[in-house]
Amino acid sequence: GKLINKLNFSDIPEPKEVLPGKLTFDSEGNLYCVDHKNQRVLVFDEKDNFKFAFGSKGNDDGKFQNISDIIVSHISSSRIFVLDAMLGRISIFDSTGNFLSKFGQKGSGVGKMSQPSGIAVDKDGNIFITDSFRHNVLAFSGKDYNLWFEFGGLGTGTGWFINPSDIAIDDMGRLYVVDWGNVRIQVF
């Protein structure tokens, strides 16, 4: 618990005011930090020095309305997946912040995202998303990013959720879902 360093935001380009949020690391030790104030991603090297930023507020490719989570996949080449709760989509970037593609659709039907809140990638590159408003988990194939399956729904029993807020996957392939409304974590 001893403080060893603080990230220096003074090297960040305009706008200087930052509201840091979710964090993730890549295999090189780079830190990716969501800046909620400016809807961008800030990247720092393994020594906590600012490297670059990507993204901005907007609806176009490579832009965001409300970043809810971020994760880096290490399958084949690094891919950065940025989850946007407002747009109901996942934007994919390369390791230098260049926009590659996007997938997902806003909505309340099967395979759509109403309020996506958390993202995880398994060892095979498959993407898992928690959706707080649909009270479920969506799984997308890592090969083509098409919907693979989804599970859950509104409820209090085993396998059901109330506002799931985050998800993680361990090395054994187990999914840990933060079931916020039921005050528990379920493991699948």
Side-chain angles (χ1 to χ4, degrees):
K2 180 182 175 185
L3 178 67
I4 58 171
N5 197 10
K6 290 189 280 187
L7 294 181
N8 181 0
F9 290 159
S10 64
D11 292 338
I12 295 172
E14 294 295 332
K16 293 281 189 189
E17 193 173 337
V18 172
L19 181 57
K22 295 276 187 135
L23 305 169
T24 192
F25 288 90
D26 66 17
S27 59
E28 308 286 315
N30 294 307
L31 169 68
Y32 298 79
C33 175
V34 171
D35 174 7
H36 287 293
K37 176 128 181 110
N38 302 293
Q39 292 303 307
R40 62 185 174 176
V41 176
L42 307 172
V43 184
F44 299 86
D45 67 18
E46 68 281 355
K47 295 181 181 173
D48 301 329
N49 297 310
F50 176 73
K51 288 178 71 173
F52 62 93
F54 64 91
S56 62
K57 190 161 181 70
N59 296 326
D60 297 331
D61 291 348
K63 296 186 177 189
F64 313 105
Q65 285 295 321
N66 183 11
I67 301 172
S68 58
D69 207 354
I70 184 171
I71 195 158
V72 178
S73 173
H74 308 293
I75 309 304
S76 60
S77 58
S78 290
R79 293 287 181 258
I80 304 161
F81 295 90
V82 182
L83 182 61
D84 191 309
M86 185 71 71
L87 297 175
R89 72 180 182 205
I90 297 96
S91 296
I92 307 170
F93 298 84
D94 68 14
S95 61
T96 60
N98 294 310
F99 175 81
L100 299 174
S101 64
K102 65 186 177 198
F103 67 96
Q105 191 175 21
K106 184 79 170 172
S108 59
V110 173
K112 295 183 179 174
M113 293 178 271
S114 181
Q115 186 71 30
S117 51
I119 186 169
V121 180
D122 72 11
K123 62 181 173 51
D124 297 321
N126 300 307
I127 315 299
F128 296 83
I129 307 287
T130 51
D131 191 318
S132 293
F133 286 2
R134 289 194 59 229
H135 312 285
N136 71 349
V137 174
L138 296 94
F140 294 90
S141 165
K143 293 184 175 88
D144 56 16
Y145 304 122
N146 287 323
L147 181 68
W148 186 17
F149 63 89
E150 59 181 60
F151 65 93
L154 180 60
T156 58
T158 302
W160 296 89
F161 308 105
I162 298 176
N163 302 114
S165 59
D166 209 356
I167 189 166
I169 302 174
D170 70 13
D171 291 340
M172 296 173 55
R174 294 179 293 197
L175 299 173
Y176 294 77
V177 179
V178 177
D179 188 4
W180 184 81
N182 285 317
V183 194
R184 65 186 178 189
I185 297 173
Q186 294 193 65
V187 184
F188 302 88

